[in-house]
Structures are given as C-alpha cells and as structure tokens.
Amino acid sequence: MQPQILLLKEGTDTSQGKPQLISNINACQSVVDVVRTTLGPRGMDKLIVSKSSKATISNDGATILKLLDVVHPAGKILVDIAKSQDAEVGDGTTSVVILAGEFLKHIKSYVEEGVHPRIIIRAMRKCLQLCLEKINEISIKINKSNASEFRSLLEKCASTAMSSKLISQQRTFFSKMVVDAVLLLDDLLPLNMIGIKKVPGGGLQESLLVAGVAFKKTFSYAGFEMQPKVYKNCKIALLNIELELKAERANAEVRVDNVKEFQKIVDTEWNILYNKLQKIHESGANVVLSQLPIGDVATQFFADRDMFCAGRVPDEDLRRTLKACGGAVMSTVYDLKDSVLGKCDLFEERQIGGDRFNLFRGCPNSKTCTLILRGGAEQFLEETERSLHDAIMIVRRTIKNDAVVAGGGAIEMELSKMLRDYSKTIAGKEQLLISAIAKALEIIPRQLCDNAGFDGTTILNKLRQKHAQGHCWYGVDINQEDVSDNLEMCVWEPAIIKINALTAATEAACLILSVDETIKNEKSGGDQPQMGRGMGRPM
C-alpha cells in the first residue's frame, strides 16, 4: 500500500466539485427564503431578536440580512449584495437577493446535468448585457424643466418606495415631506444634511419637517428658564469653548505661601470667565451654542442679558446649524465679529411630545433640514426611519439619474419576454440557459402575487399575454387583484434600481458558480495551550 500524502493540516475540511456547488446554491436558497415574503406592498415583516434581547421589526431586506448572523460563506455573498444595493440605491434590497437566488435555482438543474459553470457564467453575462441595453432603451427620461411635473414624479417614486413599508397607509403625507426634504439640499444632495429625530408618542401624521435645524434641548443649569425662548432675526454664536469654572486640582497644582495669593488666583480665574462671557455678549449674539459644557454661572449671566445658551451640543447638530445659518465654529471669544455669527429668521424652543426641541427656521443658506418623527412604540419609529431612508435615497437617485421605469414586476416581465425571444434566435446550450434566466426574472411578479395571496399562475399568464401584444408596462395590480398599466397607475421606480439590482444579482450568481472548492481550516489560530487551574476553580 502507498503511504497517504497529507498536503493540508489535519482538521482541514475540503469539499469540492459538483456537490460543493450544489451545496452552495442550496445555502443561498435558505437565505432567500428568509426575505422572500417581505417583497412588495403586501409583504410580511420579520421580528428579529438579537443576543442582547433587542427586538427589531423590519421588512427591509438589507436590515434583516445584517441582523441575521449568516455563517455560510456562499450565503454571506447574498448579504453583501443586499448591503451594496442599500448603499448605492437605498431600495430594492429584497429584490436583488430574490433575483440572485432565483438565477441559481433555475441554473441548478443544468449544473447537476454536468454543464460547465463557465458556459453558464458566459450566458448570464450575456443576459445582463441585453437587459441593461433594454432598460436604457425603454426607460422614460424625465423632463426637469417643468418644476411641478418633476416634483409630482419624485413624489410618485417616493410613494412607490414606501408602498411596501410599515408606513404605506400614510405614504402620500410622507412622500411630500421626503421630496421637500431632498429639494432643500444643495446640488451634491448629502445624506447627512437630513437629520432624523424620533420623538415617541403622538400619531404619524404629527411628524413635521423643519426647513433648518432642530435638535433636542441639551442639558442645562439653573437660570435656564429665565432665558427667552423665541427670537426673531437672531444671531448665533457657534463655539467650541468650555464656559465654566474648573476645580483647580483637576487642571494643575499651584503652591502658595499665603491666603492673599490664593485669593488672587481665584479672582483671576473668575475674571477670565467673565471676560469671555462679556466678549460673547458684546458680539451681539442672541443664541450661544457650544460643543463643550456651559456652566451655571454662564447660564445665569446670559439669562440676565436676555440671551439663550445651550452647551454640549452634539457635533453633528452643530455642523448642520453651521451649514444652515452660516458663520463659523470659533475656539476663541476674541474674534467674534459679525461675519462669524450665524443668522436665522426665527429661533424657538418648543415642546414636542415629551421632549423640548430647539428649532432654527428661516436660515439664509438653508441647505439642511430635519424630520421630526412621531409615533407609538420605539420599534415602530425605527422602522419608520428605515422606510424614510429608502424613500430619501430613491428621490436622490431619481434627481441624479432622471430615468424611470414602471414597477410592480412590469420591467421584469418585459426583460423576460425579450430574453425568450432572443434565445430562440441562437443555437446550442446558451439557448436553454438564457430561457432559464428569462424564466427566473418572472419571480418578482410571481412573488408579489404570492405575498398578496393572489393566484400567481393566472396573473402571470395574463402578463405574458399583454407583454406579447407589446404592452411593455403591464405589471401586477395589488389593489384590484389583476394586471394593469403601471406607468399610468403611477407605480414608478428609478431605472437605476433595476440596473443595479440586475448587475449585483448576476455578479453574485456568477461568483457562487465559479467556486468549486471550499477549504475550511479549523485550527488556523494555532493550538492554544490548555488553561491552567485558577484559584477556587474545581479540579
């Protein structure tokens, strides 16, 4: 007998060949099955409880996959494409996972029959190229010159994005709010300039959009209540200075011989503080915001002079105030001129729910805004925030990419028909593979029907018939349990969602197909020495 030759360390698990590929495809199916039911307006939500017993209720594909601890290496690829879709476009995270899973499911039988993965990958890349050409050809370009038409189009896109979310009942209310919020931003449309604050209590309809900055009242000292709470045409000093007395021993050690010298040191410290406060008062500022604490002496000093102050303002809120009101964040009080002070038409402190908020309205270069969300439970508010994030991303993408297609499975059916027709014009194995991918694209309308409890087969037959007759925008109509022209029904989505989803799903499927061996090295950390017996531990 020949001696066995070991190339890999003992304990290394190697699996390879066809069984390995099939096992990876099956693992991806399990991931898809988790998010499958969340697609569309009638999708179900998932309740995920983390290790620390924090419950999250969501139907956002990316959120669910982030919270699930997927261990399987092939399954992780699907989690990554959902994250990339979320980062790039913001919506369509569930669709991209379902598409990738369905591509693999339809390809699986060909893998089992021995078709080489490289041939399959080539066919898939060809399909992707044809699909992207078709989307660019039939997508509808937006006319931006007519402002009211452009605005109504953005509202329709936002409304479509929210139709499958928790807040779908209030989507007309929120779609107006989201479009207002995005249109307030500058040309680069930075996401971090839209602040979202959550205040528990009240109804969803009580949510409001502040065209400026709003943040929760910060920690305050005595004398705070004497400060005025409303200013018209106010000037704002933005500081990064600590305005309070420190205990000496925390800063330095001073050795003195007699009491008079000690008194001098104390007096000097008070004078330094009062000089700072006097300089701020003389600058003409009405509102003083600082990143560092503002102590009780300073608070009382400002209150006596009818000035408002807030210390320990979070960095993000201070930056947004700077962006909206102008001015500069100063780290010294000796340069406070008019040019470095921010300005706004109206500053007020208001009670919203159980919290008090500082609101800055009518800012001169208001390139930022704040959404204040109201609602019942904490989980409900968090899911509302996630839903609005998706809608905000959609509106941003639509403004930048100005091309839309009809939603509700219409574009997928059209691509499916186009691929079927193309497959009939070629010979060889590719014909079968392309028609399999054409069939896989039908999963989106089918899943929409399944999630709503409709008969998927009947509706898909109607859709195939309509698309064969040349009606390219027919998709599933959830409200009537039928098919309809979704372009007329205003179920619109930016073309970029579909382009990104198809590209990511195809790339993920190709990546999984190109793996034929997994090598798992269990003991890569090296053999750890056995723990010794500590004090008090049993033998």
Side-chain angles (χ1 to χ4, degrees):
M1 284 176 65
Q2 286 292 318
Q4 192 180 6
I5 298 170
L6 277 175
L7 288 178
L8 296 164
K9 211 164 153 184
E10 206 173 339
T12 306
D13 166 32
T14 63
S15 12
Q16 62 193 105
K18 204 189 296 176
Q20 170 61 35
L21 192 46
I22 301 295
S23 135
N24 282 351
I25 292 176
N26 292 342
C28 292
Q29 294 304 308
S30 320
V31 175
V32 174
D33 288 340
V34 175
V35 293
R36 189 186 287 279
T37 52
T38 65
L39 185 75
R42 300 284 164 89
M44 310 299 275
D45 293 354
K46 305 287 178 195
L47 170 60
I48 300 160
V49 184
S50 66
K51 286 175 190 165
S52 56
S53 302
K54 183 178 181 291
T56 308
I57 299 173
S58 178
N59 76 351
D60 177 44
T63 308
I64 294 167
L65 290 175
K66 270 181 213 163
L67 292 171
L68 290 178
D69 213 355
V70 179
V71 182
H72 196 284
K76 279 185 180 167
I77 294 172
L78 293 188
V79 179
D80 289 343
I81 60 167
K83 283 183 185 170
S84 83
Q85 178 81 359
D86 194 39
E88 184 61 31
V89 191
D91 196 20
T93 46
T94 310
S95 312
V96 70
V97 176
I98 291 177
L99 278 172
E102 199 64 15
F103 286 160
L104 291 169
K105 184 176 164 186
H106 282 270
I107 291 300
K108 185 174 157 186
S109 56
Y110 294 102
V111 175
E112 284 168 342
E113 284 165 15
V115 179
H116 196 282
R118 279 288 147 208
I119 297 173
I120 300 174
I121 290 172
R122 197 168 66 228
M124 289 185 81
R125 294 253 159 88
K126 179 72 182 162
C127 287
L128 175 64
Q129 189 189 343
L130 291 167
C131 287
L132 298 189
E133 283 168 10
K134 183 72 174 173
I135 292 176
N136 289 328
E137 178 194 324
I138 63 173
S139 61
I140 292 163
K141 295 284 181 287
I142 303 162
N143 177 15
K144 284 190 181 176
S145 53
N146 185 337
S148 60
E149 262 183 41
F150 184 50
R151 190 195 158 82
S152 75
L153 171 114
L154 291 177
E155 280 179 19
K156 283 163 191 163
C157 286
S159 164
T160 306
M162 283 189 271
S163 65
S164 63
K165 305 289 183 206
L166 199 62
I167 50 174
S168 56
Q169 300 301 312
Q170 286 86 5
R171 63 175 185 265
T172 44
F173 170 72
F174 277 115
S175 57
K176 285 191 177 68
M177 193 187 274
V178 164
V179 173
D180 284 338
V182 177
L183 291 178
L184 278 170
L185 301 179
D186 58 20
D187 296 342
L188 290 170
L189 305 177
L191 251 189
N192 59 353
M193 284 298 146
I194 298 181
I196 297 182
K197 306 289 178 192
K198 303 185 282 276
V199 184
L204 272 176
Q205 299 281 353
E206 290 172 39
S207 302
L208 67 146
L209 172 70
V210 179
V213 184
F215 52 85
K216 217 181 266 188
K217 167 180 171 294
T218 54
F219 174 79
S220 47
Y221 288 95
F224 180 82
E225 288 307 327
M226 295 157 63
Q227 298 177 346
K229 300 292 181 266
V230 180
Y231 291 102
K232 298 246 170 70
N233 298 329
C234 75
K235 292 183 178 177
I236 305 156
L238 305 168
L239 306 174
N240 188 8
I241 308 172
E242 196 167 8
L243 296 174
E244 67 177 347
L245 291 167
K246 276 287 202 180
E248 279 80 9
R249 70 168 180 274
N251 290 1
E253 187 178 317
V254 183
R255 298 197 175 183
V256 288
D257 297 341
N258 56 34
V259 178
K260 282 180 186 168
E261 284 185 18
F262 178 68
Q263 191 58 45
K264 270 186 198 167
I265 293 168
V266 175
D267 290 347
T268 310
E269 194 172 10
W270 278 89
N271 286 336
I272 290 170
L273 178 64
Y274 274 123
N275 282 342
K276 280 183 184 174
L277 298 178
Q278 193 59 39
K279 287 277 188 219
I280 295 170
H281 173 56
E282 285 166 8
S283 72
N286 314 99
V287 176
V288 182
L289 301 179
S290 177
Q291 268 181 302
L292 298 172
I294 293 180
D296 43 4
V297 177
T299 308
Q300 191 64 56
F301 181 93
F302 290 137
D304 294 343
R305 288 159 183 72
D306 282 348
M307 291 162 70
F308 177 92
C309 70
R312 296 183 184 151
V313 178
D315 182 44
E316 175 213 3
D317 291 329
L318 200 70
R319 273 212 307 273
R320 285 186 28 247
T321 311
L322 173 73
K323 186 87 170 169
C325 305
V329 176
M330 302 298 287
S331 51
T332 168
V333 292
Y334 295 102
D335 284 336
L336 284 177
K337 301 189 289 289
D338 226 27
S339 58
V340 298
L341 296 179
K343 295 173 183 58
C344 77
D345 293 347
L346 177 67
F347 165 82
E348 63 172 329
E349 184 178 295
R350 252 177 72 182
Q351 188 79 19
I352 298 178
D355 297 317
R356 298 187 68 159
F357 269 76
N358 299 334
L359 307 180
F360 297 84
R361 284 202 168 100
C363 309
N365 38 359
S366 178
K367 300 290 187 204
T368 176
C369 58
T370 311
L371 294 163
I372 298 177
L373 304 180
R374 305 297 311 278
E378 194 183 326
Q379 281 100 345
F380 185 81
L381 275 175
E382 283 178 8
E383 178 61 4
T384 306
E385 183 186 2
R386 281 192 286 272
S387 310
L388 287 181
H389 169 265
D390 282 10
I392 288 167
M393 291 288 282
I394 287 301
V395 175
R396 286 176 69 222
R397 285 286 164 230
T398 315
I399 292 175
K400 284 185 179 175
N401 294 76
D402 65 359
V404 291
V405 293
I411 185 77
E412 281 84 5
M413 286 305 290
E414 185 59 24
L415 294 175
S416 175
K417 168 189 165 283
M418 180 269 299
L419 287 178
R420 266 206 191 89
D421 294 348
Y422 173 76
S423 71
K424 288 169 190 166
T425 62
I426 56 173
K429 290 176 191 167
E430 274 197 355
Q431 179 183 17
L432 295 169
L433 295 169
I434 289 176
S435 64
I437 289 163
K439 182 140 178 46
L441 283 169
E442 290 181 354
I443 186 62
I444 299 290
R446 183 181 290 281
Q447 198 61 50
L448 287 173
C449 296
D450 290 353
N451 289 353
F454 303 160
D455 180 2
T457 314
T458 314
I459 288 182
L460 275 178
N461 280 337
K462 284 185 186 173
L463 282 178
R464 285 190 197 114
Q465 180 193 2
K466 289 287 184 191
H467 283 267
Q469 289 165 359
H471 303 294
C472 71
W473 295 129
Y474 264 75
V476 182
D477 183 348
I478 294 286
N479 301 320
Q480 308 296 327
E481 193 171 339
D482 200 8
V483 298
S484 65
D485 188 328
N486 280 352
L487 202 68
E488 279 179 23
M489 298 284 286
C490 300
V491 182
W492 294 354
E493 299 187 80
I496 187 81
I497 291 190
K498 297 299 172 197
I499 290 173
N500 210 61
L502 284 166
T503 311
T506 309
E507 286 305 323
C510 291
L511 192 59
I512 289 164
L513 283 169
S514 62
V515 173
D516 75 334
E517 180 169 6
T518 304
I519 302 171
K520 222 187 221 165
N521 195 351
E522 293 295 344
K523 296 183 182 174
S524 55
D527 293 333
Q528 295 292 327
Q530 199 69 35
M531 289 283 288
R533 193 176 74 81
M535 280 175 67
R537 279 181 52 190
M539 290 297 283

